[in-house]
């Protein structure tokens, strides 16, 4: 008779679980969620995908926590307000895998698959988890780039580019290196969802890529200090030493991180790990995600107050995507170039610039 395995064996087994295995065992349905969390959830039109380690972390924090709200389905997702394409990407998409909105930088989508389904996602009405993982249209990219020599940065987005294996990413990097693109950027949520994705092969891949491009940037997407786990910190201790730039982007989300101290903890936590907060996005008015949206006035007050609590180098730029494809713009903006002689101070008060 086979005896129950020992605790030591349990640990040895858990160490052999790769990030790919973790994706295979992700929770994918209301039934699986309900069995795991021992409670019921609203049915929504949107897919469910939560890797098991993340699910355990959510369970520890509780299903009303900031972590839970980002990933667990909610009845409010069935509300019909909001837009299907809130930032108007489609107008700037010459091929299915490219968005070219700004003069010199191009978004490239090598996959539409993510390691998790964020309930606030601005692409939640477009992403399909059943899509094929990797089908890069290099021919389309080559043709487009040869007609657009002004592009000097290619930004891998998605989906999440780190869903691709290291081998496939290497193939992509080689391709853009041949096309003489000087700068390459990856936008990813993977390091916080599964820090184990940043394995030794990934380190080797980035070391090689750093010789192929003039600048490599990795932008990590996270929204709350609870996403900074010990495992993520440990992994970053080594990775921050790579000759690349580490940035973060976050979305301001009602009920998740819309208070000054929460944002302070997040941004200070990041700079201490060698990750510079880059963008704080005002939430987009996306169908199925309107319960995360908050008034622009409330966001501005929060952001103005942050200045008092964190140094300038830990402060991201607070931006909004203007619907209709007008692009990103700083949200604490002066709404015109005509200066009225007053400025907003750290308490959100208007004060005079000219003292006499
Ligand atoms: C945000 C964004 C970029 C990148 O903009 P940066 O300001 O360089 O970070 C590029 N293309 C599109 C369509 C974007 O929305
Ligand atoms: S990782 Fe990004 S693209 Fe993917 S579901 Fe989350 S917010 Fe959307």
């Amino acid at each position: 008779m086979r005896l129950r395995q020992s605790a030591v064996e349990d640990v040895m087994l858990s160490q052999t679980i790769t990030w790919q295995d973790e994706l295979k065992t992700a929770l994918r349905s209301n039934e699986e969620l309900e069995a795991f969390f021992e409670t019921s959830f609203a049915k929504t039109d949107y897919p469910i995908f939560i890797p098991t380690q993340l699910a355990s972390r959510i369970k520890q924090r509780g299903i009303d926590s900031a972590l839970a709200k980002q990933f667990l389905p909610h009845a409010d997702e069935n509300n019909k307000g909001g837009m299907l394409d809130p930032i108007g990407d489609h107008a700037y998409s010459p091929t299915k895998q490219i968005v070219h909105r700004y003069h010199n930088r191009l978004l490239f989508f090598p996959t539409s698959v993510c390691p998790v389904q964020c309930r606030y996602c601005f692409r939640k009405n477009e992403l399909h988890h059943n899509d094929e993982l990797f089908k890069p249209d290099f021919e389309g990219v080559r043709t487009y780039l040869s007609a657009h020599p002004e592009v000097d940065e290619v930004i891998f987005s998605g989906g999440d580019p780190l869903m691709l294996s290291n081998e496939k990413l290497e193939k992509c990097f080689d391709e853009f290196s041949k096309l003489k693109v000087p700068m390459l950027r990856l936008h990813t949520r993977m390091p916080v969802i599964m820090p184990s994705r940043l394995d030794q092969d990934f380190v080797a891949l980035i070391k090689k890529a750093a010789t192929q491009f003039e600048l490599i940037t990795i932008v990590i997407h996270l929204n709350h200090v609870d996403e900074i786990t010990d495992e993520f910190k440990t992994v970053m201790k080594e990775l921050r030493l790579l000759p690349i730039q580490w940035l973060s982007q976050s979305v301001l989300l009602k009920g998740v991180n819309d208070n000054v101290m929460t944002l302070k903890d997040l941004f200070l936590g990041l700079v201490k790990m060698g990750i510079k907060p880059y963008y704080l996005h005002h939430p987009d008015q996306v169908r199925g995600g309107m319960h995360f949206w908050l008034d622009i006035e409330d966001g501005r007050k929060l952001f103005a107050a942050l200045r008092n609590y964190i140094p300038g180098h830990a402060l991201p730029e607070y931006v909004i995507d203007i619907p209709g494809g007008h692009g990103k713009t700083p949200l604490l903006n002066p709404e015109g170039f005509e200066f009225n002689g007053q400025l907003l101070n750290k308490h959100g008060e208007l004060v005079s610039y000219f003292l006499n």
Side-chain angles (χ1 to χ4, degrees):
M1 193 179 77
R2 174 93 168 79
L3 288 174
R4 209 199 146 275
Q5 73 196 28
S6 69
V8 175
E9 275 177 295
D10 272 335
V11 171
M12 286 173 62
L13 275 176
S14 75
Q15 281 174 350
T16 61
I17 292 177
T18 63
W19 60 273
Q20 287 97 338
D21 291 337
E22 236 201 283
L23 288 169
K24 282 183 207 138
T25 56
L27 306 176
R28 290 164 178 270
S29 66
N30 265 62
E31 293 66 38
E32 285 175 9
L33 276 191
E34 289 174 358
F36 186 86
F37 288 100
E38 296 165 331
T39 184
S40 58
F41 292 97
K43 300 261 181 305
T44 79
D45 293 339
Y46 300 100
I48 289 166
F49 195 88
I50 308 182
T52 41
Q53 270 202 38
L54 175 65
S56 302
R57 280 198 269 143
I58 294 172
K59 204 171 182 179
Q60 270 173 13
R61 301 270 171 193
I63 59 161
D64 294 319
S65 63
L67 202 58
K69 285 180 187 160
Q70 295 184 58
F71 308 114
L72 291 176
H74 194 280
D76 287 348
E77 291 178 82
N78 296 324
N79 294 344
K80 289 295 173 221
M83 294 170 257
L84 296 175
D85 176 24
I87 71 172
D89 264 352
H90 286 305
Y92 297 87
S93 193
T95 81
K96 214 176 151 226
Q97 293 180 351
I98 292 175
V99 172
H100 189 191
R101 197 209 308 262
Y102 300 106
H103 180 72
N104 70 330
R105 48 221 197 272
L106 188 91
L107 292 188
F108 171 61
F109 305 102
T111 178
S112 62
V113 184
C114 293
V116 73
Q117 283 279 325
C118 308
R119 310 320 289 185
Y120 56 85
C121 179
F122 70 106
R123 294 204 181 105
K124 73 183 291 174
N125 299 291
E126 304 166 55
L127 292 177
H128 302 290
H129 245 265
N130 299 326
D131 279 7
E132 219 179 300
L133 180 60
F134 184 59
K135 38 170 186 180
D137 170 24
F138 289 135
E139 200 47 52
V141 170
R142 236 175 265 138
T143 309
Y144 191 80
L145 279 180
S146 62
H148 293 272
E150 72 275 18
V151 172
D152 58 14
E153 184 171 25
V154 170
I155 302 168
F156 283 49
S157 184
D160 194 316
L162 264 59
M163 287 293 280
L164 304 183
S165 66
N166 293 320
E167 291 72 27
K168 285 174 178 148
L169 281 176
E170 184 174 17
K171 214 169 149 222
C172 292
F173 295 175
D174 288 345
E175 197 65 38
F176 286 108
S177 168
K178 267 187 254 156
L179 295 169
K180 302 256 183 297
V181 174
M183 296 188 283
L184 197 111
R185 200 195 306 176
L186 303 170
H187 279 216
T188 176
R189 211 171 185 344
M190 197 65 144
V192 294
I193 303 298
M194 283 180 217
S196 58
R197 172 65 186 86
L198 305 177
D199 55 16
Q200 285 308 312
D201 286 344
F202 181 74
V203 172
L205 169 69
I206 295 299
K207 279 186 180 155
K208 178 187 161 193
T211 66
Q212 294 173 299
F213 299 91
E214 288 173 45
L215 177 67
I216 305 274
T217 305
I218 299 184
V219 185
I220 301 177
H221 170 181
L222 80 176
N223 306 312
H224 194 279
V225 70
D226 285 356
E227 293 170 62
I228 303 179
T229 56
D230 289 342
E231 192 191 357
F232 178 35
K233 278 191 199 162
T234 304
V235 162
M236 279 310 296
K237 269 190 190 139
E238 180 184 354
L239 274 106
R240 67 183 291 180
L241 303 176
L242 292 170
I244 67 170
Q245 169 171 244
W246 289 95
L247 306 175
S248 73
Q249 62 174 341
S250 306
V251 190
L252 185 60
L253 297 167
K254 189 173 179 176
V256 172
N257 60 7
D258 59 335
N259 76 74
V260 176
M261 290 307 153
T262 302
L263 293 172
K264 177 196 94 151
D265 289 346
L266 172 63
F267 298 141
L268 282 181
L270 284 164
V271 283
K272 288 176 194 160
M273 292 164 72
I275 303 165
K276 159 88 183 90
Y278 176 46
Y279 278 143
L280 174 65
H281 299 270
H282 195 79
D284 294 307
Q285 301 170 70
V286 64
R287 164 94 40 99
M290 286 303 285
H291 52 301
F292 291 107
W293 190 83
L294 68 163
D295 287 337
I296 286 175
E297 287 76 7
D298 292 338
R300 285 176 161 178
K301 282 178 195 153
L302 264 173
F303 189 75
L306 257 185
R307 244 283 164 218
N308 205 13
Y309 294 94
I310 57 176
H313 64 82
L315 201 66
E317 183 160 31
Y318 178 38
V319 291
I320 192 164
D321 250 286
I322 307 173
H326 292 282
K328 280 191 204 65
T329 190
L331 191 43
L332 212 58
N333 81 14
E335 291 153 5
F337 286 115
E338 211 167 306
F339 184 47
N340 71 357
Q342 291 188 303
L343 293 167
L344 214 50
N345 72 8
K346 64 180 188 287
H347 302 300
E349 304 153 348
L350 281 172
V351 292
S352 198
Y353 175 69
F354 301 105
L355 284 181
N356 42 18

